[in-house]
Amino acid sequence: EQTMFLHGGFSKGTRELVSVQRIQNRTLLKRYRNEREIITGRRGAANLNEHYLFHGTKKTPPLQIAESAEGFMVEQGSSNAFYGQGNYFAVKARYSHHYAHRLRSADGRHVHRQLLLVNVLCGARKEYAGSAIDRGMNQIALSQQGFDSVLGGPHRPRHAGPGEDDSEMCVVYKSSQTMPEFVLTYRAAE
């Protein structure tokens, strides 16, 4: 709960946490641990840059991604996104809120939203400041430049540059750099 509400994430007055569901997916965990060893071997433990970040799944139920053998799939991302076709994770929940999965509460009286809280191996990050974007970025270009991920922003939902509900974001191009760990279900004041 603190991760969601601290540091400009959400205001407790406008969001109410309903539940936190822990995810355990051994297939994804094995892949994630292998990738962690690769990055640690290449960069050293001090440069692993492992962070819990938020991800909204829009119309896809979060558990569908979190419990699948594939996890996040880069090819499902938009090719016209800020930093090309990749998996995007926000530092602040308020950004991901705009992409949250919506569902009705069990009693049907409320609309709940869900976000994934994901452990992301950022490794060496190619940093883009402010409103700078690179729609042509991809795994090959990033690797050739000696990086594991992109750190961009802050950006607003669907708009480059800072503003309301902005957040920095980490973009990875390999699903093995991600481990979905929690589904956060919350109610938002509309």
Side-chain angles (χ1 to χ4, degrees):
E1 181 176 24
Q2 287 185 352
T3 303
M4 212 168 162
F5 292 105
L6 291 178
H7 312 296
F10 281 155
S11 159
K12 285 190 179 186
T14 61
R15 311 285 192 266
E16 177 189 345
L17 190 61
V18 174
S19 69
V20 176
Q21 181 178 354
R22 176 88 166 102
I23 300 160
Q24 296 183 345
N25 183 325
R26 291 181 185 192
T27 302
L28 296 183
L29 182 59
K30 183 177 178 181
R31 232 181 282 162
Y32 182 80
R33 285 180 175 162
N34 287 339
E35 188 68 33
R36 193 175 196 277
E37 286 181 28
I38 291 167
I39 293 174
T40 300
R42 198 171 49 226
R43 312 242 183 249
N47 296 311
L48 192 57
N49 286 320
E50 190 171 23
H51 301 283
Y52 277 108
L53 301 171
F54 297 96
H55 182 82
T57 62
K58 298 183 196 172
K59 293 182 181 181
T60 304
L63 281 176
Q64 187 175 323
I65 294 170
E67 292 179 338
S68 74
E70 294 81 23
F72 289 98
M73 298 173 64
V74 172
E75 56 273 12
Q76 295 296 318
S78 170
S79 59
N80 194 35
F82 295 139
Y83 306 102
Q85 192 170 16
N87 294 315
Y88 286 68
F89 302 92
V91 172
K92 296 179 181 174
R94 68 185 188 196
Y95 179 92
S96 295
H97 168 73
H98 293 269
Y99 303 96
H101 178 67
R102 294 173 187 236
L103 70 159
R104 302 255 348 118
S105 62
D107 64 9
R109 294 178 24 214
H110 304 286
V111 174
H112 287 171
R113 297 184 189 212
Q114 293 180 316
L115 294 175
L116 283 170
L117 186 58
V118 182
N119 211 352
V120 181
L121 296 169
C122 299
R125 301 176 296 196
K126 180 175 177 94
E127 296 187 18
Y128 290 88
S131 58
I133 61 172
D134 182 355
R135 295 189 195 282
M137 183 53 66
N138 59 47
Q139 178 60 41
I140 294 169
L142 193 67
S143 293
Q144 289 173 343
Q145 296 173 38
F147 296 104
D148 303 303
S149 68
V150 166
L151 176 66
H155 294 301
R156 295 164 287 154
R158 298 175 191 83
H159 300 284
E164 186 175 352
D165 291 338
D166 67 1
S167 179
E168 286 188 318
M169 60 186 61
C170 176
V171 185
V172 296
Y173 303 88
K174 293 166 59 180
S175 63
S176 56
Q177 288 178 249
T178 64
M179 183 61 213
E181 293 200 18
F182 299 96
V183 174
L184 307 172
T185 301
Y186 63 98
R187 188 167 49 219
E190 302 292 335

